[in-house]
Amino acid sequence: MAPNLFGTTASLFLEASQTGIIDENSTTEKTSSPKLEKKKLIKSQQKYRWNIVWRNVIAFLYLHISFLYGLYLAFTAAKLVTTIFAITSGFLAGFGVTAGAHRLWAHKSYKAKWPMRVILMICQTMAFQNHIYEWVRDHRVHHKFTDTDADPHNSQRGFFFSHIGWLMLKKHPDVIKKGATVDMSDLEKDPVVVWQRRLYIILMPLFCFIIPTWIPIYFWNERPMYSWYLTIFRYTLSLNITWLVNSAAHIWGTKPYDSTISPTDSYSVGIAAFGEGWHNYHHVFPWDYKAAELGNYKVNFSTAIIDGFAKIGWAYDLKTVSHEMIEKRACRTGDGTKYQNVKDQHEHNHNNSIWGWDDPDINTEDVQSARILNKAE
């Protein structure tokens, strides 16, 4: 996901506005025909107009110009330790998104004790991609309604839109309408999520910009301007790596597990995004804490971190998929790049999609066949 601070949490910059929702006619037709349905669809599409959010456009221009300047400073003027610190901060922020907002809170693929939850919350705040509640809501909607108008970053509208363009426009009305149908009660009861959401206007600038800029200045006498632009460099790079999962991993790559959906498995995105690039697998089994079929940590840094916390007992009930279940599904619906495909006229329907473990639409067979590691007593 990406920044959205207007309205619910603050009035700083970057808005993916939810305003401008089109009122719908509540009356229903007693009879209908294909022609009538087609006319209604065309009429509905005509109602939606791209409405550019210029504040976002200006903000993103500043961020990316500053990113280039920060990159230049990293090689020419800034101290080496400042560059190393910026990269390390980026790793921590990325971990807060991948292992935290994504695998823990959005998909409920494992459970974590409160010390780990607090660490993940702080790291996710450092990433500044909205507070956890909003990040999870948009991501669950994305999984339930992939590549429809209800998908916030619908990849059917092209690479630019799914990468960054969706944040430069007001949301399609269907994103709001369908988003209201996704259950968020678990996060509303989570004290860590509630606390972060309530104080986000204070926590986000502090953890994302102020402290990372202050540390190099105070501890090794870095020039303030250099420290600031290296902080912007780290933040903008992290954003674009996350966005690649929404864009590149929905366009280029293989589809070993379901050839009828847009998400793909991308080795390069997997490396850049700490193991989030195995997107075809992830959309088929969104409740697997590994978010991949991989048996090692070479291109799945986030899984290694979660397993590390599991060894000290802070992460538990890690849900994963048996090889038999994976092979059965891949042979039935995959593209044949990893498992021999058996054609069965499979047709994907987003109504069968799930956002994660507790989604009411999850297949009972999947629940019964799932493996739960480090299970709590």
Side-chain angles (χ1 to χ4, degrees), residues 54-68:
W54 287 106
R55 286 171 294 188
N56 289 19
V57 175
I58 294 170
F60 284 132
L61 279 173
Y62 170 76
L63 287 175
H64 286 82
I65 292 171
S66 298
F67 164 83
L68 293 174

Side-chain angles (χ1 to χ4, degrees), residues 96-112:
V97 173
T98 60
H102 189 216
R103 302 189 194 183
L104 174 63
W105 280 295
H107 297 299
K108 305 182 73 172
S109 62
Y110 70 100
K111 297 177 182 178

Side-chain angles (χ1 to χ4, degrees), residues 5 9-13 122 124-129 196 198-214 228 231-232 234-235:
L5 285 183
T9 55
S11 57
L12 302 179
F13 64 85
I122 292 173
Q124 194 271 345
T125 305
M126 186 188 302
F128 180 25
Q129 296 185 19
Q196 186 220 31
R198 184 179 298 134
L199 298 178
Y200 197 65
I201 189 173
I202 299 171
L203 297 176
M204 183 282 294
L206 195 63
F207 286 114
C208 183
F209 298 110
I210 297 174
I211 293 177
T213 301
W214 171 79
W228 170 252
T231 297
I232 297 298
R234 179 266 303 167
Y235 172 59

Side-chain angles (χ1 to χ4, degrees), residues 248-261:
H250 275 262
I251 298 174
W252 302 293
T254 60
K255 300 180 180 181
Y257 309 98
D258 193 332
S259 61
T260 66
I261 58 178

Side-chain angles (χ1 to χ4, degrees), residues 184-252:
M184 296 290 291
S185 60
D186 55 317
L187 274 76
E188 292 164 2
K189 299 173 185 176
D190 189 320
V192 174
V193 174
V194 171
W195 186 79
Q196 186 220 31
R197 185 182 184 187
R198 184 179 298 134
L199 298 178
Y200 197 65
I201 189 173
I202 299 171
L203 297 176
M204 183 282 294
L206 195 63
F207 286 114
C208 183
F209 298 110
I210 297 174
I211 293 177
T213 301
W214 171 79
I215 287 177
I217 297 171
Y218 182 81
F219 286 99
W220 51 85
N221 298 315
E222 182 60 271
R223 293 185 62 178
M225 184 179 71
Y226 296 171
S227 185
W228 170 252
Y229 281 107
L230 263 295
T231 297
I232 297 298
F233 163 79
R234 179 266 303 167
Y235 172 59
T236 308
L237 178 63
S238 296
L239 283 181
N240 279 276
I241 289 174
T242 299
W243 292 339
L244 284 173
V245 181
N246 300 335
S247 55
H250 275 262
I251 298 174
W252 302 293

